[in-house]
């Protein structure tokens, strides 16, 4: 993963590191797609949604009336920025995981008087545009973007050595992992940020399917386009011949697992190739493309504790749709 240096050399360093990061990402994308189409059930990890087009479509999703998550989390952040800042204290380096457009970041940066900002995202071009915008808004703040997969080991820029840290993981992106992967990631964040660090994390809550399904299957079809863009991406980047119009977007609430599932369902028997390898999918069969797990308040706190993060503050909206938790990395005590 590519950590990027000081302001003077940042752009050149990003360009240099991007070549390596990109070719590693290309290989990982190819491997995940070929394995995912060969396995049963067919499934491709959700992180591959985010090429430039996918990141733009996600931004469109955040503005949909049905997609309550973004505006709710933003309203919680605005309402409680001062409380959050008094619990974190000033002068921390803010490290954001899956920063995307960094649209919510100014709310945090303005409140916590950070010493530096480190946005991490797999969607490189989009990350660079977001950083350029933030540099305009916070001209004195050192910004060190990292293009890469936050599921892999992460080395923070040397400039952050000895600086206290605040992790920021908004948007309920943690919900796109199953519980073991979520705990692994939270533990890795603990290791990366270090004991005494804080983590501000947004986690979407369990609620009726009548609210959840439209949030993931909106009337304008933007989420459908976001999901189908994965097939376009496979065709573009992996020499695929997938007939995209033969697939439809499906969003399901799986109550047992407490998750929204997104699938791409074949509307007829199809055969195609990817990277020269043949595949066939029968009518009605799906490719599972995303899980979005939802958590009750106690579940969310347990998840954090399981990875060594002790909740020290929690905020929600009036309807209790979404939870924002501030947690502290404490040494994990021996039982009991
Ligand atoms: N934090 C923003 C964006 C959420 S969308 C918000 O709250 O609105 C999820 C973001 O995480 C996308 O920008 C995507 O590119 C990024 N992402 C998803 N999986 C990732 C991974 N494994 N490593 C790094 N970034 C990832
Ligand atoms: C980024 N992530 C938390 C979004 C979610 O709600 O699971 C991605 C998304 N998928 C469909 N709509 C939005």
């Amino acid at each position: 993963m590519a950590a990027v240096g000081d302001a003077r050399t940042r752009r050149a360093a990003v360009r240099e590191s991007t070549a390596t990061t990109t070719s590693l990402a290309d290989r990982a994308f190819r491997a995940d797609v070929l394995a995912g189409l060969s396995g049963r059930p067919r499934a491709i990890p959700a992180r591959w949604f985010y090429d430039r087009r996918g990141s733009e479509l996600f931004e469109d999703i955040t503005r949909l009336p049905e997609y309550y998550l973004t505006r709710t989390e933003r309203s919680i952040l605005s309402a409680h920025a001062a409380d959050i800042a008094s619990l974190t204290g000033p002068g921390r380096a803010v490290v954001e995981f899956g920063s995307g457009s960094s649209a919510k970041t100014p709310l945090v940066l303005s409140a916590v008087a950070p010493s530096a900002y480190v946005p991490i995202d797999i969607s490189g071009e989009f990350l660079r545009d977001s950083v350029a915008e933030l540099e305009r808004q916070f001209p004195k703040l050192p910004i060190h973007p990292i293009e890469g997969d936050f599921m892999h080991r992460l080395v923070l820029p040397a400039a952050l050595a000895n600086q206290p840290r605040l992790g920021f993981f908004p948007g309920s992106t943690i919900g796109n992992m199953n519980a073991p992967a979520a705990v692994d990631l939270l533990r890795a964040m603990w290791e990366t940020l270090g004991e005494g660090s804080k983590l501000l994390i947004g986690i979407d809550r369990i609620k009726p399917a009548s609210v959840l399904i439209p949030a993931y299957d909106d009337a304008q079809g933007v989420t459908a386009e976001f999901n189908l863009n994965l097939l376009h991406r496979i065709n573009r980047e992996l020499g695929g011949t997938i007939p995209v119009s033969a697939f439809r977007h499906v969003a399901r609430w799986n109550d047992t697992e407490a998750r929204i599932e997104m699938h791409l369902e074949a509307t007829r028997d199809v055969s195609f190739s990817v990277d020269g390898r043949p595949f066939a999918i029968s009518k009605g069969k799906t490719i599972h493309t995303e899980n979005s797990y939802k958590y009750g308040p106690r579940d969310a706190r347990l998840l954090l504790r399981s990875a060594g993060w002790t909740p020290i503050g929690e905020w929600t909206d009036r309807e209790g749709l979404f939870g924002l938790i501030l947690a502290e990395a404490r040494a994990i005590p021996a039982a009991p």
Side-chain angles (χ1 to χ4, degrees), residues 161-242:
N162 305 321
Q163 287 187 30
R165 286 114 191 229
L166 168 65
F168 183 40
F169 195 24
S172 202
T173 301
I174 191 77
N176 297 135
M177 282 140 242
N178 62 24
V183 171
D184 283 352
L185 176 59
L186 290 166
R187 272 185 192 277
M189 286 177 178
W190 198 114
E191 297 297 334
T192 303
L193 298 173
E195 190 175 345
S197 295
K198 306 246 161 77
L199 175 68
L200 183 62
I201 182 168
I203 305 187
D204 195 19
R205 290 191 172 169
I206 298 175
K207 55 183 66 62
S210 58
V211 178
L212 287 167
I213 296 284
Y216 290 85
D217 194 5
D218 62 281
Q220 291 171 58
V222 181
T223 312
E225 206 179 328
F226 175 70
N227 198 2
L228 287 159
N229 178 58
L230 179 62
L231 300 183
H232 287 298
R233 182 178 187 188
I234 294 170
N235 284 349
R236 273 194 304 269
E237 296 184 21
L238 303 179
T241 62
I242 304 173

Side-chain angles (χ1 to χ4, degrees), residues 50 58 61 67 69 171-173 176 216 223 226 262 290 292:
Y50 300 95
F58 177 74
I61 288 174
Y67 196 75
L69 289 84
S172 202
T173 301
N176 297 135
Y216 290 85
T223 312
F226 175 70
M262 297 208 317
E290 187 182 64
S292 198

Side-chain angles (χ1 to χ4, degrees), residues 212-275:
L212 287 167
I213 296 284
Y216 290 85
D217 194 5
D218 62 281
Q220 291 171 58
V222 181
T223 312
E225 206 179 328
F226 175 70
N227 198 2
L228 287 159
N229 178 58
L230 179 62
L231 300 183
H232 287 298
R233 182 178 187 188
I234 294 170
N235 284 349
R236 273 194 304 269
E237 296 184 21
L238 303 179
T241 62
I242 304 173
V244 179
S245 62
F247 286 85
R248 73 177 188 102
H249 165 67
V250 175
R252 295 179 193 149
W253 172 242
N254 181 332
D255 196 56
T256 312
E257 300 283 347
R259 68 187 190 205
I260 283 280
E261 296 178 3
M262 297 208 317
H263 295 255
L264 290 163
E265 182 185 304
T267 55
R268 60 175 168 81
D269 292 350
V270 285
S271 24
F272 54 87
S273 64
V274 175
D275 200 28

Side-chain angles (χ1 to χ4, degrees), residues 79-226:
H80 301 288
D83 302 347
I84 294 165
S86 76
L87 285 169
T88 61
R92 288 180 183 265
V94 174
V95 180
E96 181 170 358
F97 298 84
S99 48
S101 68
S102 290
K104 295 162 191 159
T105 315
L107 288 168
V108 174
L109 297 181
S110 303
V112 304
S115 54
Y117 173 55
V118 181
I120 303 163
D121 207 287
I122 203 167
S123 189
E125 262 182 76
F126 204 70
L127 172 68
R128 286 188 286 284
D129 290 355
S130 309
V131 166
E133 178 52 38
L134 272 181
E135 281 173 340
R136 272 190 288 278
Q137 286 185 58
F138 297 90
K140 296 204 175 111
L141 179 69
I143 303 183
H144 310 277
I146 299 179
E147 178 187 348
D149 185 338
F150 55 54
M151 304 299 287
H152 294 160
R153 199 180 68 84
L154 174 64
V155 180
L156 291 179
L160 264 67
N162 305 321
Q163 287 187 30
R165 286 114 191 229
L166 168 65
F168 183 40
F169 195 24
S172 202
T173 301
I174 191 77
N176 297 135
M177 282 140 242
N178 62 24
V183 171
D184 283 352
L185 176 59
L186 290 166
R187 272 185 192 277
M189 286 177 178
W190 198 114
E191 297 297 334
T192 303
L193 298 173
E195 190 175 345
S197 295
K198 306 246 161 77
L199 175 68
L200 183 62
I201 182 168
I203 305 187
D204 195 19
R205 290 191 172 169
I206 298 175
K207 55 183 66 62
S210 58
V211 178
L212 287 167
I213 296 284
Y216 290 85
D217 194 5
D218 62 281
Q220 291 171 58
V222 181
T223 312
E225 206 179 328
F226 175 70

